[in-house]
Amino acid sequence: MTWLITGGAGYIGAHVAHAMTAAGEQVVVLDDLSSGIPERLPAGVPLVRGSVLDRDAVDRVLAGHAVTGVVHLAAKKQVGESVEQPLRYYRENVCGLTVLLEAVVAAGVRSFLFSSSAAVYGVPDTDLVPESAPCEPINPYGETKLTGERLVRAAGRAHGLSTACLRYFNVAGAAAPELSDTGVFNIVPMFFDRITRGEAPRIFGADYPTPDGTCIRDYIHVADLADAHLAVARRLAGTAGGEDLTVNIGRGIGVSVRELASVVAEVTGRGPQPVVEPRRAGDPAKAVASVERIAEELGWRASYGVREMVASAWEGWLARHPETAAR
């Protein structure tokens, strides 16, 4: 098979590209490079610059590379930005997916893997969140991911596609320094950014009904996430059509924000005690994945722990901010 990875030059996409090529899969990447970095890609992987909103570009890459399966990662993903720019998010995430699926059906592609998010659950009221939990997203980003899942499943039923929706929890770490996250939107790089500037890491709310009062989250190493994509892609490729799989991607282990801050301090060897600021609207007290379904369906479980995530992310941060290492 040849797999098209949309958004394959991004932080997660590049990890997926490396995992799939290392396993012997043929890969081509479509990326508009709005946040992607071409140098992240494995040597020899073709990169086509373009948007999934551009039907002509999608048709050309599907036909020109004889694509037989798609891993769709290209999307806007910042929660706060989605609240400020909902029309942009629906256009990029939902309209872009619609255009891509139309091209996929026309080209006769049979396997489609969709990058979803735990944001579809909203504020879950359960100790571990199973895939059967109610989906009640609380921001436009989560809404677009839930709409995307429904669209993918509907297209699969109507056109005989094998489909999978992967609901990521909190992604961190790097398989190599050059593949690390360049944004400062997720909690680990946010902590690093504050430490680099000599400021205390921020904790938003310390009065939640949790053991230490701070939010509890499920963190997954991006290398594990990429490996899960490979496992799911191979499952889809091995079916005759009609597969409909929805799985959480996490470790099933909760880590509080204060515990994470302690790991960051230990790994970096620096940083003052975190400061507590008011809660952010919509943050659930606890969001930890139930990971039994993917274990039962694919025999897959995460391999890396939180310390490995933080240490690998810090190595990448220092590679991009050498001045920090010199201090």
Side-chain angles (χ1 to χ4, degrees), residues 148-194:
E149 286 192 10
R150 291 169 173 165
L151 182 55
V152 166
R153 294 189 196 104
R157 289 192 299 268
H159 300 286
L161 303 177
S162 286
T163 64
C165 298
L166 275 58
R167 294 173 175 171
Y168 310 166
F169 277 66
N170 298 68
V171 185
E178 62 272 17
L179 298 181
S180 62
D181 192 356
T182 58
V184 188
F185 304 107
N186 298 322
I187 188 168
V188 172
M190 287 173 67
F191 278 175
F192 291 167
D193 182 57
R194 298 280 293 188

Coordinates of all heavy atoms in Angstrom, one line a residue, residues 148-194:
G148 N -16.4 15.6 12.3 CA -15.5 14.8 11.4 C -15.7 13.3 11.6 O -15.7 12.6 10.6
E149 N -15.7 12.9 12.8 CA -15.9 11.4 13.1 C -17.2 10.9 12.4 O -17.3 9.9 11.8 CB -16.0 11.2 14.6 CG -14.7 11.2 15.3 CD -14.8 10.6 16.7 OE1 -15.9 10.0 17.0 OE2 -13.9 10.8 17.5
R150 N -18.3 11.7 12.6 CA -19.6 11.3 12.0 C -19.5 11.3 10.5 O -20.1 10.4 9.9 CB -20.7 12.3 12.5 CG -21.0 12.1 14.0 CD -21.8 13.2 14.6 NE -22.2 13.0 15.9 CZ -22.7 13.9 16.7 NH1 -22.9 15.2 16.3 NH2 -23.1 13.6 18.0
L151 N -18.8 12.2 9.9 CA -18.7 12.3 8.5 C -17.9 11.1 8.0 O -18.3 10.5 7.0 CB -18.0 13.6 8.1 CG -17.8 13.9 6.6 CD1 -19.2 13.8 5.8 CD2 -17.3 15.3 6.4
V152 N -16.8 10.8 8.6 CA -16.0 9.6 8.2 C -16.8 8.3 8.3 O -16.7 7.5 7.4 CB -14.7 9.6 9.1 CG1 -14.0 8.2 9.0 CG2 -13.8 10.7 8.8
R153 N -17.5 8.1 9.4 CA -18.3 6.9 9.5 C -19.4 6.8 8.4 O -19.6 5.7 7.9 CB -18.9 6.8 10.9 CG -17.9 6.7 12.0 CD -18.5 6.3 13.3 NE -17.6 6.6 14.4 CZ -17.6 7.6 15.2 NH1 -18.6 8.6 15.1 NH2 -16.7 7.8 16.2
A154 N -20.0 7.9 8.2 CA -21.1 8.0 7.2 C -20.5 7.6 5.8 O -21.1 6.8 5.0 CB -21.8 9.3 7.2
A155 N -19.4 8.2 5.5 CA -18.8 7.9 4.2 C -18.3 6.5 4.1 O -18.4 5.8 3.1 CB -17.6 8.8 4.0
G156 N -17.8 5.9 5.2 CA -17.4 4.5 5.2 C -18.6 3.6 5.0 O -18.5 2.7 4.2
R157 N -19.7 3.9 5.6 CA -20.9 3.0 5.4 C -21.4 3.2 4.0 O -21.8 2.2 3.4 CB -22.0 3.5 6.4 CG -21.7 3.1 7.8 CD -23.0 3.3 8.7 NE -23.4 4.7 8.7 CZ -23.1 5.6 9.6 NH1 -22.2 5.2 10.6 NH2 -23.5 6.8 9.6
A158 N -21.5 4.4 3.5 CA -22.0 4.6 2.1 C -21.2 4.0 1.0 O -21.7 3.6 0.0 CB -22.3 6.1 1.9
H159 N -19.9 4.1 1.2 CA -19.0 3.8 0.1 C -18.0 2.6 0.4 O -17.1 2.3 -0.4 CB -18.1 5.0 -0.2 CG -19.0 6.2 -0.6 ND1 -19.6 6.3 -1.8 CD2 -19.3 7.3 0.1 CE1 -20.3 7.4 -1.9 NE2 -20.1 8.1 -0.7
G160 N -18.3 1.9 1.5 CA -17.5 0.6 1.7 C -16.1 0.9 2.1 O -15.2 0.0 1.9
L161 N -15.8 2.0 2.7 CA -14.4 2.3 3.2 C -14.2 1.6 4.6 O -15.2 1.5 5.4 CB -14.2 3.8 3.4 CG -14.4 4.8 2.3 CD1 -14.2 6.2 2.8 CD2 -13.5 4.5 1.1
S162 N -13.0 1.2 4.8 CA -12.6 0.8 6.2 C -12.1 2.1 6.9 O -11.2 2.7 6.4 CB -11.5 -0.2 6.1 OG -12.1 -1.5 5.8
T163 N -12.7 2.4 8.0 CA -12.4 3.7 8.7 C -12.0 3.5 10.1 O -12.4 2.5 10.8 CB -13.5 4.7 8.6 OG1 -14.7 4.1 9.3 CG2 -14.0 4.9 7.2
A164 N -11.2 4.4 10.7 CA -10.9 4.4 12.1 C -10.8 5.9 12.6 O -10.3 6.7 11.8 CB -9.6 3.7 12.3
C165 N -11.3 6.1 13.8 CA -11.2 7.4 14.4 C -10.4 7.2 15.7 O -10.8 6.5 16.6 CB -12.6 8.0 14.7 SG -13.6 8.2 13.3
L166 N -9.3 8.0 15.8 CA -8.4 7.8 16.9 C -8.5 9.1 17.8 O -8.2 10.2 17.4 CB -6.9 7.7 16.5 CG -6.4 6.3 16.1 CD1 -7.3 5.7 15.0 CD2 -5.0 6.4 15.7
R167 N -9.0 8.8 19.0 CA -9.2 9.9 20.0 C -8.0 10.1 20.8 O -7.8 9.4 21.8 CB -10.5 9.7 20.8 CG -11.7 9.7 20.0 CD -12.9 9.2 20.8 NE -14.2 9.4 20.0 CZ -15.4 8.9 20.4 NH1 -15.5 8.2 21.5 NH2 -16.4 9.0 19.6
Y168 N -7.1 11.1 20.5 CA -5.9 11.3 21.3 C -6.2 12.0 22.6 O -7.1 12.9 22.7 CB -5.0 12.3 20.6 CG -4.7 12.1 19.1 CD1 -4.0 13.1 18.4 CD2 -4.9 10.9 18.5 CE1 -3.7 12.9 17.1 CE2 -4.6 10.7 17.2 CZ -4.0 11.7 16.4 OH -3.7 11.5 15.1
F169 N -5.5 11.6 23.6 CA -5.5 12.4 24.9 C -4.3 13.4 24.8 O -4.1 14.0 23.8 CB -5.5 11.4 26.1 CG -6.9 10.9 26.4 CD1 -7.6 10.1 25.4 CD2 -7.6 11.3 27.5 CE1 -8.9 9.7 25.7 CE2 -8.9 10.9 27.7 CZ -9.6 10.1 26.8
N170 N -3.6 13.6 25.9 CA -2.6 14.7 25.9 C -1.3 14.2 25.4 O -0.6 13.4 26.0 CB -2.4 15.3 27.3 CG -3.7 15.9 27.8 OD1 -4.7 15.2 28.0 ND2 -3.7 17.2 28.0
V171 N -0.8 14.7 24.2 CA 0.4 14.3 23.5 C 1.6 15.1 24.0 O 1.5 16.3 24.1 CB 0.2 14.4 22.0 CG1 1.4 13.8 21.3 CG2 -1.1 13.7 21.6
A172 N 2.7 14.4 24.2 CA 3.9 15.0 24.7 C 5.1 14.2 24.2 O 5.0 13.1 23.7 CB 4.0 15.1 26.2
G173 N 6.3 14.8 24.4 CA 7.6 14.1 24.1 C 8.0 14.2 22.6 O 7.4 14.9 21.8
A174 N 9.1 13.5 22.3 CA 9.6 13.5 20.9 C 10.4 12.2 20.8 O 11.2 11.8 21.7 CB 10.5 14.7 20.7
A175 N 10.4 11.6 19.6 CA 11.2 10.5 19.3 C 12.6 10.8 19.0 O 13.5 10.0 19.1 CB 10.6 9.7 18.1
A176 N 12.8 12.1 18.6 CA 14.2 12.6 18.3 C 14.1 14.1 18.5 O 13.0 14.7 18.3 CB 14.7 12.3 16.9
P177 N 15.2 14.8 18.9 CA 15.1 16.3 19.1 C 14.6 17.0 17.9 O 13.8 18.0 18.1 CB 16.6 16.6 19.4 CG 17.2 15.4 20.0 CD 16.5 14.2 19.3
E178 N 15.0 16.6 16.7 CA 14.6 17.4 15.5 C 13.1 17.2 15.2 O 12.5 17.9 14.4 CB 15.4 16.9 14.3 CG 15.3 15.5 13.9 CD 16.2 14.6 14.6 OE1 16.8 15.0 15.7 OE2 16.4 13.4 14.2
L179 N 12.4 16.3 15.9 CA 11.0 16.1 15.7 C 10.1 16.7 16.8 O 8.9 16.5 16.8 CB 10.7 14.6 15.6 CG 11.3 13.8 14.5 CD1 10.9 12.3 14.6 CD2 11.0 14.4 13.1
S180 N 10.7 17.4 17.7 CA 10.0 17.9 18.8 C 9.0 19.0 18.5 O 9.1 19.6 17.4 CB 11.0 18.5 19.9 OG 11.7 19.5 19.4
D181 N 8.1 19.2 19.4 CA 7.0 20.2 19.2 C 7.6 21.6 19.2 O 8.3 22.0 20.2 CB 6.0 20.1 20.3 CG 4.7 20.8 20.1 OD1 4.6 21.6 19.1 OD2 3.8 20.7 21.0
T182 N 7.4 22.4 18.2 CA 7.9 23.8 18.1 C 6.9 24.8 18.6 O 7.3 26.0 18.8 CB 8.3 24.1 16.6 OG1 7.1 24.0 15.8 CG2 9.4 23.2 16.1
G183 N 5.7 24.4 18.9 CA 4.7 25.3 19.4 C 4.8 25.4 20.9 O 5.4 24.6 21.6
V184 N 4.1 26.4 21.5 CA 4.1 26.6 22.9 C 2.6 26.7 23.3 O 2.1 27.7 23.9 CB 4.8 27.9 23.4 CG1 4.9 27.9 24.9 CG2 6.2 27.9 22.8
F185 N 1.9 25.6 23.0 CA 0.4 25.5 23.2 C 0.1 24.4 24.2 O -1.0 24.5 24.8 CB -0.3 25.4 21.9 CG 0.0 26.4 20.9 CD1 0.8 26.1 19.8 CD2 -0.4 27.7 21.0 CE1 1.1 27.1 18.8 CE2 -0.2 28.7 20.1 CZ 0.6 28.4 19.0
N186 N 0.9 23.4 24.2 CA 0.6 22.3 25.1 C 1.4 22.4 26.4 O 2.3 23.2 26.5 CB 1.0 20.9 24.5 CG 0.2 20.7 23.2 OD1 -1.0 20.9 23.2 ND2 0.9 20.1 22.2
I187 N 1.0 21.7 27.5 CA 1.4 22.0 28.8 C 2.9 21.9 29.0 O 3.6 22.7 29.7 CB 0.6 21.2 29.9 CG1 1.0 21.7 31.3 CG2 0.9 19.7 29.7 CD1 0.1 21.1 32.4
V188 N 3.5 20.8 28.4 CA 5.0 20.6 28.7 C 5.8 21.8 28.1 O 6.6 22.4 28.8 CB 5.4 19.3 28.2 CG1 6.9 19.1 28.2 CG2 4.8 18.1 29.0
P189 N 5.6 22.1 26.8 CA 6.4 23.3 26.3 C 6.0 24.6 26.9 O 6.8 25.5 27.0 CB 6.1 23.3 24.8 CG 4.9 22.4 24.6 CD 4.9 21.4 25.7
M190 N 4.8 24.7 27.4 CA 4.4 25.9 28.2 C 5.2 26.0 29.5 O 5.7 27.1 29.8 CB 2.9 25.9 28.5 CG 2.0 26.2 27.3 SD 0.3 26.0 27.7 CE 0.0 27.3 28.8
F191 N 5.4 24.9 30.2 CA 6.3 24.9 31.4 C 7.7 25.3 31.0 O 8.4 26.1 31.6 CB 6.3 23.5 32.0 CG 5.1 23.2 32.9 CD1 4.9 22.0 33.5 CD2 4.2 24.2 33.2 CE1 3.9 21.7 34.3 CE2 3.1 24.0 34.0 CZ 2.9 22.7 34.6
F192 N 8.2 24.6 29.9 CA 9.6 24.9 29.4 C 9.8 26.4 29.1 O 10.8 27.0 29.4 CB 9.9 24.1 28.2 CG 10.1 22.6 28.4 CD1 10.1 21.8 27.3 CD2 10.1 22.1 29.7 CE1 10.2 20.4 27.5 CE2 10.3 20.7 29.9 CZ 10.3 19.9 28.8
D193 N 8.8 27.0 28.5 CA 8.9 28.4 28.1 C 9.0 29.3 29.3 O 9.8 30.2 29.3 CB 7.6 28.8 27.2 CG 7.7 30.2 26.7 OD1 8.7 30.5 26.0 OD2 6.7 31.0 27.0
R194 N 8.2 29.0 30.3 CA 8.2 29.8 31.5 C 9.6 29.7 32.2 O 10.2 30.7 32.7 CB 7.1 29.4 32.5 CG 5.7 29.6 31.9 CD 5.2 31.0 32.0 NE 5.0 31.4 33.4 CZ 4.4 32.6 33.8 NH1 4.0 33.4 32.8 NH2 4.3 32.9 35.0

